[in-house]
Amino acid sequence: METAILHKISQSVEDGRSKEVKQLVDQALAKGVHPNLILSKGLLPGMMAVDEKFKNNEVFISKVFLADKAMNV
């Protein structure tokens, strides 16, 4: 279950869905997932995926900004 919610967090960051990221992080915390785990296995992988796509010219800078905003809500 922990892995599923972390994957959803990562995907939501990658998609730039701020409200969903906040809800999922709140859910994860309520279920007892450690904040460091949420950061290292949820938030950062989503941002790193966007970074990799940006480096490969697969997305524009606006997508990077959306992911950043989603991660920092």
Side-chain angles (χ1 to χ4, degrees), residues 9 12 14 20 27 31 38-39 43 47-48 52-53 64-65 73:
I9 291 170
S12 295
E14 190 174 342
E20 190 171 317
Q27 286 175 19
K31 292 180 184 212
I38 294 170
L39 181 62
L43 296 169
M47 195 66 205
M48 289 169 44
E52 189 64 31
K53 287 180 180 180
V64 177
F65 288 144
V73 168

Side-chain angles (χ1 to χ4, degrees), residues 1 3 6 13 16-17 20-21 40-43 45 48-49 51 55 60-62 64 67-69 71:
M1 183 63 176
T3 304
L6 294 173
V13 168
R17 296 188 307 250
E20 190 171 317
V21 170
S40 66
K41 300 291 184 185
L43 296 169
M48 289 169 44
D51 180 54
K55 286 179 186 177
F60 295 106
I61 191 72
S62 58
V64 177
D68 179 61
K69 180 181 176 190
M71 189 169 153

